Amino acid sequence: MSQSSASADIGAVDYSVKIPNNVGLVNDARVLKALEQWHPGYIDWWNTMGPEGFQTSDVYLRTAVSIDPKGWAQFGFVKMPEYRWGILLAPQDQSRKVHFGASQGEAAWQDVPGEHRASLRRLIVIQGDTEPASVEQQRHLGKTAPSLYDMRNLFQVNVEEGRHLWAMVYLLQKYFGRDGREEAEGLLERRSGDKDKPRMLGAFNEATPDWLSFFMFTFFTDRDGKMQLESLAQSGFDPLSRTCRFMLTEEAHHMFVGETGVGRVIERTCEAMKAAGIEDPTDVAKVRALGVIDLPTIQKKMNMHFPLTLDLFGSEISTNAANFYNAGLKGRFMETKIDDDHRLTSATYPVLKLVDGQIRMVEEPALTALNMRLRDDYVKDCQGGVNRWNKIIEKLGIKFQLKLPSVAFNRHIGEFRDVNASPDAKLLSDTEWIKMKDQWLPSKDDGDFIDSLMQPCWGLGRYAGWIAAPKIGIDSKSGDFEYVKIHAA
Ligand code: BYC
């Protein structure tokens, strides 16, 4: 990659300074200094909490060299601790307005409005906290990678989550003074799953024990990332909007990794079943004897990751969400494309609630139902991916359909957190739940079986027996390309 000084191209990234950026850091001594002071702590965090065992390997990674949608990625071998993490914002639109809430129609804010400072800081810190958390959750996975291709994708996702942390830290350092600097330190201090200093949101303290979990996580949880970033990209606070818009271009690859990852596991299972003449997908023992993951277990993994991610949307009815919207800080998915008043003072929205012990749809004020609305948009987006997985199963002639469980199933936040519900939304007693739980969620046996398959497979062009090869390589590389030179030290 060319590391020359800032080019005159619009959107070009300045690699001449320690912290690559397209925000003119070279002329912003205060923020540059703050970021340079934060940098060693970040590298220390990366070296201790980033991918375990591969810090000296050469990895075929893409790095953003411009924010131009067509030309921003450049591929090359990089040792991860030397990755050029930087500050990249989508271009500023001078005519951009606040699109929603009480300040609708005002020019978008280039600085933080005093009255919204605490809320904005909180949103940015929560977003920032998820990024290093996911790297921590995935740090041990390299060791059991089912191919060099998958290993490289894992590391690409990890370095980009690292960059997303930088993105939020830039906003904190630039716009929030001393408390921003303290929050930036806090982001390096919390740890996923730590009893005393956990990450802020539930799903980011769960383990990612195996590669199927990783693919489910990048399908389901990174998709929450997409929905939340889309909502924050609508923000009246323009630097947050511009940051999130660029982050979204990177997020797309993470969901690709998830969707195609699970798709390739499904494909391999169905092919192995066909080759062995097994027609009954629920004959778990026979399917497992082929060394592939049976479809009911894939369904159980979905049943686990989907509700964990639904919890990330907060409560269905939320005054926080209403306040964020009213203040012009966090909009709806595709806010500018929605045809209404963008104030929501009298509109209603249907919300699934628990009423007199039954799950019912109830009309609620649209303003307080914004988390529910975003979650509905998310569920639709997930359903599209599940439909594509089901097409793979159908095409290979196996009679089985994967299904998203009900939004009431296995919840820990919101309306359904205190009830037991089956995947098809029947309410259950504690005794019934305990009896049935292992049929719906991965049991210890399921975990042990998947674990037994997690053996490294790092030969050139080789793939573990439980996952199909991808249709096409990264950056159009050939099937036997050495995406990670493991012993490069
Ligand atoms: N866990 O009004 P409520 C990503 C708290 S993922 C723990 O119901 P609100 C990524 C809440 O903070 C996207 N606590 O919800 C993916 C509040 O506490 P306070 C990350 C929770 O505030 C993969 C109280 O409960 N970005 O990028 O409307 C890899 C009542 O809250 C949880 C964002 O989330 C929970 N699950 O919405 C890498 C965007 N849920 O204030 C990255 C920024 C709620 O009473 N965050 N609480 O102390 C937000 O927009 C909102 O904070 C939330 C919650 C949507 C998370």
Side-chain angles (χ1 to χ4, degrees):
M1 170 193 319
S2 154
Q3 312 230 320
S4 60
S5 60
S7 122
D9 297 350
I10 294 176
V13 181
D14 181 0
Y15 277 96
S16 67
V17 283
K18 194 163 179 188
I19 296 157
N21 70 92
N22 70 345
V23 292
L25 270 187
V26 79
N27 302 316
D28 194 345
R30 183 187 64 80
V31 177
L32 183 59
K33 188 165 163 233
L35 287 168
E36 282 180 351
Q37 278 173 354
W38 186 78
H39 187 241
Y42 172 80
I43 293 296
D44 197 40
W45 167 81
W46 179 269
N47 282 327
T48 47
M49 296 312 296
E52 201 181 338
F54 298 90
Q55 302 283 6
T56 56
S57 303
D58 279 332
V59 187
Y60 194 66
L61 295 174
R62 67 175 187 183
T63 306
V65 288
S66 155
I67 47 156
D68 174 344
K70 287 193 205 82
W72 69 264
Q74 190 154 325
F75 287 86
F77 281 99
V78 184
K79 292 191 201 332
M80 286 184 279
E82 292 163 18
Y83 189 77
R84 304 301 310 272
W85 285 286
I87 313 294
L88 307 176
L89 271 63
Q92 185 175 349
D93 169 2
Q94 303 285 351
S95 64
R96 187 165 177 267
K97 301 258 185 290
V98 181
H99 290 301
F100 56 91
S103 305
Q104 189 186 14
E106 280 179 22
W109 311 305
Q110 298 308 323
D111 222 323
V112 177
E115 68 272 34
H116 302 321
R117 190 182 156 85
S119 300
L120 256 179
R121 192 184 64 206
R122 181 160 175 79
L123 284 171
I124 292 168
V125 169
I126 292 180
Q127 179 62 50
D129 193 67
T130 63
E131 316 289 1
S134 67
V135 175
E136 292 163 3
Q137 287 171 299
Q138 296 160 14
R139 69 182 301 252
H140 60 93
L141 288 173
K143 289 188 211 152
T144 54
S147 71
L148 292 180
Y149 165 91
D150 289 294
M151 187 192 282
R152 177 259 166 220
N153 281 349
L154 166 73
F155 295 157
Q156 182 72 56
V157 168
N158 292 161
V159 293
E160 283 174 359
E161 300 302 7
R163 207 203 66 71
H164 291 180
L165 170 61
W166 274 91
M168 292 302 123
V169 164
Y170 166 70
L171 294 177
L172 289 169
Q173 304 270 26
K174 171 135 177 106
Y175 297 99
F176 293 90
R178 176 201 286 260
D179 35 334
R181 283 196 295 283
E182 281 166 11
E183 295 284 13
E185 289 304 322
L187 290 168
L188 294 177
E189 282 161 11
R190 287 183 288 277
R191 291 284 180 271
S192 174
D194 191 284
K195 195 163 54 63
D196 303 320
K197 300 175 296 178
R199 290 294 173 185
M200 296 173 94
L201 299 179
F204 292 90
N205 287 304
E206 297 287 326
T208 309
D210 55 64
W211 276 78
L212 184 54
S213 282
F214 169 66
F215 293 137
M216 290 290 178
F217 183 96
T218 39
F219 180 85
F220 285 113
T221 310
D222 277 86
R223 193 173 304 273
D224 170 48
K226 166 179 139 177
M227 304 309 288
Q228 300 292 349
L229 290 173
E230 287 274 7
S231 305
L232 294 174
Q234 308 291 337
S235 185
F237 177 47
D238 204 41
L240 176 61
S241 165
R242 291 170 56 206
T243 306
C244 291
R245 274 185 274 146
F246 186 74
M247 288 163 78
L248 279 162
T249 64
E250 292 169 318
E251 205 65 52
H253 173 69
H254 305 188
M255 283 177 292
F256 161 86
V257 169
E259 182 171 334
T260 56
V262 176
R264 288 161 52 217
V265 178
I266 292 170
E267 183 186 337
R268 181 69 198 108
T269 300
C270 294
E271 274 171 359
M273 286 172 64
K274 251 175 87 182
I278 299 172
E279 285 184 3
D280 179 4
T282 64
D283 195 339
V284 167
K286 258 196 185 162
V287 176
R288 287 186 179 182
L290 304 173
V292 294
I293 305 174
D294 51 284
L295 298 176
T297 298
I298 296 174
Q299 175 70 59
K300 284 186 186 181
K301 282 281 202 185
M302 273 174 65
N303 289 351
M304 195 178 95
H305 285 269
F306 182 61
L308 266 174
T309 308
L310 293 179
D311 283 345
L312 293 175
F313 287 83
S315 301
E316 289 82 345
I317 301 299
S318 163
T319 48
N320 282 348
N323 292 337
F324 295 150
Y325 187 85
N326 212 26
L329 305 181
K330 183 180 175 191
R332 291 170 290 179
F333 184 56
M334 306 279 176
E335 180 72 44
T336 48
K337 307 236 163 70
I338 300 172
D339 184 17
D340 65 12
D341 68 355
H342 304 275
R343 301 296 271 266
L344 305 180
T345 38
S346 54
T348 62
Y349 188 84
V351 176
L352 211 53
K353 293 186 84 173
L354 199 63
V355 184
D356 300 332
Q358 296 204 8
I359 299 172
R360 295 237 179 91
M361 203 61 104
V362 180
E363 285 294 320
E364 290 282 347
L367 199 54
T368 48
L370 284 165
N371 285 345
M372 172 81 185
R373 180 179 178 130
L374 189 63
R375 197 188 75 193
D376 281 346
D377 289 328
Y378 167 79
V379 174
K380 264 187 239 144
D381 213 49
C382 288
Q383 187 60 54
V386 175
N387 293 348
R388 289 187 287 277
W389 290 339
N390 280 331
K391 284 222 176 76
I392 301 174
I393 304 177
E394 198 185 315
K395 217 164 140 197
L396 288 162
I398 307 289
K399 290 202 168 46
F400 191 90
Q401 292 275 287
L402 293 164
K403 234 178 128 193
L404 288 175
S406 151
V407 294
F409 176 72
N410 204 28
R411 297 296 307 280
H412 294 96
I413 299 270
E415 200 63 24
F416 304 109
R417 68 176 186 269
D418 295 326
V419 295
N420 303 308
S422 66
D424 55 359
K426 285 201 191 70
L427 294 176
L428 308 170
S429 68
D430 287 351
T431 326
E432 287 170 310
W433 168 256
I434 289 165
K435 205 167 119 208
M436 296 302 291
K437 192 167 99 80
D438 277 359
Q439 293 193 21
W440 297 323
L441 291 167
S443 64
K444 171 148 188 343
D445 269 7
D446 298 324
D448 289 347
F449 169 68
I450 296 178
D451 208 37
S452 74
L453 297 180
M454 297 296 120
Q455 305 298 331
C457 180
W458 301 342
L460 294 190
R462 298 194 41 126
Y463 290 84
W466 53 269
I467 188 164
K471 300 267 174 294
I472 180 166
I474 294 295
D475 191 29
S476 304
K477 292 295 175 206
S478 63
D480 60 355
F481 184 72
E482 192 175 6
Y483 289 101
V484 184
K485 296 181 180 167
I486 293 171
H487 303 295

